[in-house]
Amino acid sequence: MKFFVDTAEVDAIAELNALGMVDGVTTNPSLIAKSGRDILEVTKEICDMVEGPVSAEVVALEADAMIAEGRKLAEIAENIAVKVPLTWDGLKACKVLSDEGKMVNVTLCFSANQALLAAKAGATFISPFIGRLDDINIDGLDLIEDIRTIYDNYGFDTQILAASIRTANHMAECAKIGADVATAPPAVIKNMANHVLTDKGLAGFLADIEKAGIKIV
Ligand code: G3P
């Protein structure tokens, strides 16, 4: 499963990128606003840092305006994936931009029907939002499973980019289901390494070796 980092904070991206944990980056208007930086400037910096796809989202609502914004975003770098919302206008923009050879990430997906439409519109990635479904007591992982089944039934090339990931458990479950990509905040990716028994076992090893007075250097 590819790991995308869901942030516009370049220092956090750099830290994980140094460990080989960054196969791509996703941003959205809220993450860009949180960064306090110009969208074109920060997106360019991120594109220069990572080899994989970097999703940058349009902010227009009407198809022609989305297409114009998408073309401008795509000019930033070769590895830009233009992010469009899963609306009828977003699907129109997806079709035009993907036919032009641009990567398109269709976002704010909350149903299997929406994912089916995105695949037919030529989406490179579909971003189903797990956490926001969980927030309304619907199991977001079920949606990932449904989309995986539908895409496999018909051989759609669109990659499932599991998004709105809130926990390390979401990461493992997405991998078990077979999501192509999971995009998560840096803290969630880091938290995947944590386990209380690892800490306990390490402490035990170090106590025993110290008691034995053994050193390596
Ligand atoms: O990529 C989408 C993601 O940023 C949304 O996450 O936690 O705001 O639902 P969240």
Side-chain angles (χ1 to χ4, degrees):
M1 184 171 78
K2 295 180 199 141
F3 284 19
F4 286 9
V5 185
D6 194 37
T7 186
E9 302 300 330
V10 293
D11 291 346
I13 296 168
E15 183 185 2
L16 287 170
N17 203 28
L19 275 77
M21 298 290 176
V22 179
D23 298 307
V25 175
T26 53
T27 67
N28 62 41
S30 301
L31 293 172
I32 295 290
K34 187 178 171 191
S35 77
R37 297 183 59 184
D38 172 79
I39 182 170
L40 300 179
E41 178 196 290
V42 68
T43 304
K44 175 77 167 78
E45 185 173 343
I46 295 170
C47 288
D48 291 344
M49 293 171 70
V50 302
E51 286 177 22
V54 175
S55 290
E57 190 162 342
V58 301
V59 295
L61 293 175
E62 186 273 327
D64 288 344
M66 283 182 188
I67 292 162
E69 289 181 353
R71 286 170 177 158
K72 183 155 179 69
L73 292 171
E75 285 172 1
I76 294 171
E78 284 296 310
N79 55 331
I80 283 282
V82 178
K83 225 179 185 183
V84 297
L86 215 151
T87 61
W88 202 248
D89 280 84
L91 291 169
K92 288 179 188 173
C94 175
K95 179 64 180 156
V96 170
L97 293 168
S98 60
D99 283 352
E100 292 175 357
K102 295 174 176 69
M103 286 191 284
V104 182
N105 177 358
V106 181
T107 190
L108 287 167
C109 172
F110 295 97
S111 76
N113 277 333
Q114 288 181 320
L116 194 45
L117 289 172
K120 292 183 78 67
T124 313
F125 302 103
I126 183 67
S127 290
F129 278 31
I130 301 169
R132 294 194 190 186
L133 285 165
D134 290 356
D135 291 343
I136 61 169
N137 298 318
I138 294 172
D139 188 337
L141 289 166
D142 288 346
L143 176 58
I144 305 297
E145 202 147 11
D146 291 347
I147 299 170
R148 180 74 286 156
T149 301
I150 292 168
Y151 281 13
D152 290 351
N153 285 348
Y154 300 99
F156 285 117
D157 293 329
T158 301
Q159 296 180 59
I160 301 173
L161 198 172
S164 186
I165 286 185
R166 307 279 177 77
T167 67
N169 182 58
H170 279 161
M171 295 294 282
E173 290 303 318
C174 284
K176 285 158 68 177
I177 292 167
D180 301 283
V181 187
T183 191
V188 169
I189 295 173
K190 286 183 171 180
N191 192 36
M192 292 172 73
N194 297 335
H195 198 294
V196 62
L197 292 181
T198 303
D199 298 342
K200 187 176 177 188
L202 187 55
F205 289 160
L206 297 182
D208 291 345
I209 205 81
E210 192 173 338
K211 200 184 305 174
I214 296 169
K215 291 188 184 299
I216 294 173
V217 292

